[in-house]
């Protein structure tokens, strides 16, 4: 009896011991991040989260990664850069997530970098412009089609100034304004380089605080400079305020726009309506025969259904496909490398090309895309605030790059019905 009891205890112990690795294997692989779910960039942040959760759903339906389910762990950064370091410290030291990715945008990525670097972790970033030009971190990888970090600042405005160079008669003077924040400063630095190459004389160059609420004085100052070209580097709330101020002032200029973040978002497009007409601005993706990459049509159908329920970006052409794609890349790297080892994942990301819903992605030595794929478009014939007119890019003409051009520039901005 004593022997039988002992044998039973040994068998139970063996069963419990042998089950531990299986239990661990079934633990989810956790991916942590902060995201702007409230605050002035929440419209984009919430749209990005929908896309990321669709990827989480897809990867788990496909069996997860390394035989384990995947779980997203995230916190609201409230669109405030000072909140970011504490969130990433919590994710890494308390939650002990397996992988970290950035929230949306340069301003939310930069304050996370020192924390991530101190932990020597891989970092996939979403729409962070030229961040690694300063940090030079070998485990950084950026999901933004601005190309190598050394030229990324210029890539955002290259198309805009290529348009300017092609205008007849030639444009000669330039006014620049933008919010005093990391992303806009980077964009303006690049714009100044492109403007010099285009032979433009800068007659106005002033930034404004992120807390600015009234943009009329800024637009009046620009108008007083009588510039042919007006380049604006703004964040979503600023972009809306500036467009309204441009409309109210009746600004006289031949070419206006540049790096106005938010004008790619459906809710802002429908809010501004015909006031968008004539603006020339950057974009990353519009539905054209050349850009309907495998999987993106199905993604957009699913995204749009969920976005309608949550009342965020109803079309999802701008940020959501990239938010899905940066997790696609991360997941494919884990599968391809067969490990969560941060160093081996970085090596794999540097040495392979990835097929995503926004096309093929290959990273350069600096962790940014090896090739820039920024487009420049002009709004035209927008009438009222109906969302249907924005489907399929019907009221947006692609001007640059030349290989994707779908129409010609209409100018001057001053004479276009806004």
């Amino acid at each position: 009896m004593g022997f039988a009891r002992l044998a039973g205890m040994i068998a139970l112990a063996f069963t419990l011991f042998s089950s531990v690795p299986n239990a661990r294997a079934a633990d989810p692989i956790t991916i942590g991040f902060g995201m702007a779910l409230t605050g002035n960039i929440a419209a984009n942040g919430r749209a990005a989260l929908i896309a990321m959760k669709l990827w989480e759903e897809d990867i788990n339906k496909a069996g997860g990664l390394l035989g384990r389910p995947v779980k997203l762990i995230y916190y609201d950064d409230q669109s405030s850069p000072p909140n970011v370091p504490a969130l990433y410290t919590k994710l890494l030291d308390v939650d002990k997530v397996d992988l970290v990715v950035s929230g949306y945008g340069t301003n939310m990525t930069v304050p996370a970098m020192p924390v991530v670097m101190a932990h020597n972790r891989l970092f996939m970033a979403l729409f962070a412009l030229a961040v690694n030009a300063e940090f030079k971190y070998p485990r950084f990888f950026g999901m933004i089609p601005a190309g190598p970090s050394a030229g990324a600042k210029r890539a955002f405005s290259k198309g805009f100034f290529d348009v300017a160079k092609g205008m007849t008669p030639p444009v000669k003077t330039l006014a620049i304004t933008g919010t005093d924040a990391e992303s806009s400063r980077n964009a303006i630095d690049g714009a100044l380089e492109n403007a010099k190459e285009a032979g433009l004389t800068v007659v106005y160059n002033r930034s404004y605080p992120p807390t600015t609420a009234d943009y009329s004085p800024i637009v009046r100052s620009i108008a007083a400079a009588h510039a042919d070209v007006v380049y604006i580097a703004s964040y979503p709330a600023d972009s809306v305020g500036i467009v309204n101020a441009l409309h109210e002032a009746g600004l006289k200029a031949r070419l206006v726009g540049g790096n106005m973040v938010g004008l790619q978002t459906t809710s802002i497009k429908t809010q501004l309506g015909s006031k968008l007409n004539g603006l020339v601005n950057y974009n990353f993706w519009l539905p054209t025969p050349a850009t309907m990459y495998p999987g993106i049509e199905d993604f957009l159908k699913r995204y749009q259904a969920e976005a309608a329920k949550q009342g965020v970006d109803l079309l999802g052409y701008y940020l959501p496909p990239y938010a899905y794609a940066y997790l696609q890349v991360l997941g494919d790297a884990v599968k391809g490398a067969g490990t969560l080892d941060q160093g081996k994942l970085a090596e794999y990301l540097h040495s392979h090309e990835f097929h995503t819903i926004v096309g093929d992605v290959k990273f350069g030595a600096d962790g940014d895309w090896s090739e820039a794929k920024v487009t420049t478009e002009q709004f035209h014939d927008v009438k009222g605030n109906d969302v249907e007119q924005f489907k399929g890019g019907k009221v947006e003409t692609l001007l640059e790059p030349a290989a994707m051009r779908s129409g010609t520039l209409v100018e001057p901005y001053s004479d276009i019905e806004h």
Side-chain angles (χ1 to χ4, degrees):
M1 190 73 176
F3 177 78
R5 182 178 299 169
L6 179 62
M9 290 173 66
I10 292 171
L12 177 61
F14 179 78
T15 300
L16 291 172
F17 177 79
S18 62
S19 71
V20 169
N22 292 331
R24 287 178 179 166
D27 287 344
I29 291 174
T30 51
I31 302 175
F33 56 96
M35 187 58 74
L37 304 180
T38 57
N40 63 358
I41 58 172
N44 282 344
R46 291 171 60 204
L49 183 61
I50 291 174
M52 295 170 76
K53 291 183 78 64
L54 287 175
W55 176 84
E56 179 187 38
E57 177 184 315
D58 290 344
I59 198 68
N60 285 328
K61 282 183 179 177
L65 295 173
L66 308 181
R68 297 163 59 185
V70 173
K71 181 180 180 182
L72 302 180
I73 296 178
Y74 54 91
Y75 300 102
D76 180 10
D77 62 33
Q78 300 176 324
S79 304
S80 175
N83 291 342
V84 171
L87 294 185
Y88 279 83
T89 299
K90 182 177 189 303
L91 286 165
L92 290 164
D93 291 342
V94 179
D95 299 320
K96 299 189 182 301
V97 295
D98 297 299
L99 300 162
V100 285
V101 297
S102 83
Y104 159 62
T106 309
N107 298 349
M108 301 300 139
T109 301
V110 169
M113 287 290 288
V115 178
V116 174
M117 291 169 67
H119 288 77
N120 205 25
R121 303 296 289 273
L122 183 83
F123 198 35
M124 291 288 299
L126 180 63
F127 281 17
L129 177 60
V131 166
N132 216 26
E134 177 184 348
F135 289 104
K136 295 178 171 56
Y137 182 49
R139 295 183 178 182
F140 171 91
F141 297 90
M143 181 56 69
I144 184 171
S149 59
K153 293 180 181 181
R154 295 188 64 174
F156 259 70
S157 58
K158 181 181 183 300
F160 182 85
F161 287 99
D162 283 348
V163 170
K165 284 189 288 187
M167 295 174 72
T168 304
V171 288
K172 297 178 180 179
T173 55
L174 171 69
I176 291 184
T177 191
T179 184
D180 187 12
E182 190 81 25
S183 177
S184 296
R185 286 195 296 268
N186 286 345
I188 288 172
D189 287 346
L192 288 169
E193 292 182 37
N194 287 326
K196 183 178 180 180
E197 188 179 274
L200 294 173
T201 299
V202 178
V203 295
Y204 179 95
N205 181 6
R206 294 180 190 172
S207 61
Y208 53 84
T211 53
T212 299
D214 182 6
Y215 298 91
S216 296
I218 297 167
V219 172
R220 285 197 297 269
S221 296
I222 292 171
H226 301 291
D228 296 326
V229 178
V230 178
Y231 180 86
I232 302 162
S234 51
Y235 248 40
D238 318 353
S239 297
V240 171
I242 289 173
V243 171
N244 283 325
L246 291 171
H247 177 69
E248 291 164 8
L251 180 74
K252 303 295 184 185
R254 289 180 61 190
L255 182 67
V256 179
N259 186 51
M260 304 183 76
V261 181
L263 303 192
Q264 306 82 3
T265 305
T266 314
S267 59
I268 291 179
K269 289 179 179 180
T270 54
Q271 177 183 349
L272 292 172
S274 62
K275 295 176 185 177
L276 294 168
N277 286 332
L279 291 171
V280 174
N281 203 38
Y282 87 96
N283 207 337
F284 292 146
W285 189 85
L286 277 176
T288 71
T291 58
M292 294 305 290
Y293 305 109
I296 194 162
E297 188 172 11
D298 176 66
F299 163 78
L300 287 172
K301 286 178 182 176
R302 295 167 59 216
Y303 166 84
Q304 289 167 4
E306 187 59 35
K309 296 176 188 175
Q310 297 192 27
V312 297
D313 188 352
L314 295 176
L315 298 181
Y317 292 163
Y318 177 58
L319 178 62
Y322 289 86
Y324 186 96
Y326 88 139
L327 294 184
Q328 259 190 308
V329 168
L330 183 61
D332 286 351
V334 170
K335 287 188 284 187
T339 181
L340 291 174
D341 180 274
Q342 307 288 294
K344 290 179 180 177
L345 284 174
E347 290 174 9
Y348 191 91
L349 282 159
H350 276 301
S351 59
H352 289 76
E353 185 173 65
F354 298 87
H355 308 297
T356 78
I357 63 170
V358 294
D360 293 342
V361 175
K362 187 168 179 57
F363 298 102
D366 58 5
D368 277 308
W369 284 27
S370 59
E371 178 185 357
K373 297 181 180 179
V374 181
T375 62
T376 301
E377 64 177 10
Q378 182 177 36
F379 290 98
H380 60 85
D381 299 314
V382 179
K383 294 177 172 58
N385 307 93
D386 179 34
V387 70
E388 289 298 318
Q389 65 189 317
F390 294 104
K391 287 186 176 179
K394 295 187 288 290
V395 294
E396 292 158 81
T397 295
L398 283 178
L399 300 174
E400 293 291 339
M404 298 176 68
R405 192 170 294 157
S406 61
T408 56
L409 174 71
V410 178
E411 64 108 349
Y413 171 81
S414 308
D415 290 350
I416 297 169
E417 185 178 347
H418 304 121

